[in-house]
């Protein structure tokens, strides 16, 4: 599948996060031709910022990467029984760009967390956040990595 491009989105900004490693491992197993890792170092969503300056360049780049990818892998940590704020912020920003880069896009959702359920509750909140985008969510098999720091 050398001409297949995956976009990997980790809900953690940590360089050595379990979720980042999970994305790279999933791409390796899938044998994607190219994995592009999204950068979620974005400003906090602020409608006043958008009104004053438009869509920030890093947000537009992320939306363009989503649109260009053949499929997207999203892996979220679980923070206080939810997806991470970093990931939610990115989803909120991308929802503000013109068009819908997610529409009909195959999207695989995964989670890795230190808890014994491996991010199961975070996954539930991520599914709810993705529903308005009309992406083609791949629901199974579910991937939850528990006690990921071990």
């Amino acid at each position: 599948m050398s001409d297949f491009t995956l976009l990997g989105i980790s809900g953690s900004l940590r360089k050595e996060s379990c979720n980042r490693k999970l994305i790279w491992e999933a791409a390796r197993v899938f044998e994607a031709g190219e994995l592009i890792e999204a950068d979620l170092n974005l400003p906090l969503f602020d409608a006043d910022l958008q009104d004053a300056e438009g869509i920030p360049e890093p947000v537009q780049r992320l939306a363009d990467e989503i649109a260009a990818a053949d499929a997207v892998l999203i892996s979220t940590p679980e923070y206080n029984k939810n997806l991470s704020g970093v990931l939610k912020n990115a989803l909120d920003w991308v929802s503000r760009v013109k068009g819908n880069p997610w529409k009909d896009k195959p999207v695989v959702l995964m989670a890795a967390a230190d808890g014994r359920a491996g991010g199961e509750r975070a996954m539930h909140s991520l599914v709810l956040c993705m529903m308005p985008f009309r992406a083609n969510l791949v629901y199974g098999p579910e991937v939850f990595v528990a006690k990921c720091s071990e």
Side-chain angles (χ1 to χ4, degrees):
M1 301 202 98
S2 61
D3 58 346
F4 198 90
T5 301
L6 290 175
L7 176 66
I9 300 176
S10 170
S12 174
L13 296 177
R14 285 185 37 241
K15 185 177 180 180
E16 294 297 319
S17 80
C18 297
N19 288 280
R20 177 168 280 131
K21 291 175 183 177
L22 184 56
I23 285 169
W24 283 95
E25 181 61 14
R28 184 191 68 76
V29 169
F30 185 71
E31 298 179 353
E34 180 179 14
L35 174 68
I36 298 167
E37 188 173 351
D39 182 0
L40 298 191
N41 281 300
L42 307 173
L44 291 176
F45 175 74
D46 179 348
D48 290 338
L49 173 66
Q50 180 185 358
D51 290 344
E53 301 175 21
I55 299 293
E57 188 276 328
V59 173
Q60 187 62 57
R61 182 176 351 131
L62 175 60
D64 293 344
E65 288 172 343
I66 294 166
D70 293 303
V72 179
L73 302 171
I74 302 176
S75 189
T76 185
E78 186 168 281
Y79 295 166
N80 299 310
K81 308 214 183 287
N82 253 297
L83 75 158
S84 69
V86 167
L87 181 53
K88 179 68 166 85
N89 184 59
L91 296 175
D92 289 342
W93 263 122
V94 170
S95 75
R96 306 297 288 216
V97 301
K98 291 195 186 286
N100 178 5
W102 295 108
K103 186 164 178 12
D104 299 322
K105 182 74 57 178
V107 178
V108 173
L109 306 177
M110 305 176 290
D114 278 333
R116 69 176 186 250
E120 190 172 14
R121 288 187 180 174
M123 179 72 75
H124 178 70
S125 64
L126 178 54
V127 168
L128 293 176
C129 288
M130 292 299 297
M131 289 177 86
F133 301 136
R134 299 185 315 267
N136 182 10
L137 297 181
V138 178
Y139 287 106
E142 292 181 315
V143 177
F144 300 106
V145 179
K147 299 181 181 183
C148 70
S149 62
E150 295 177 16

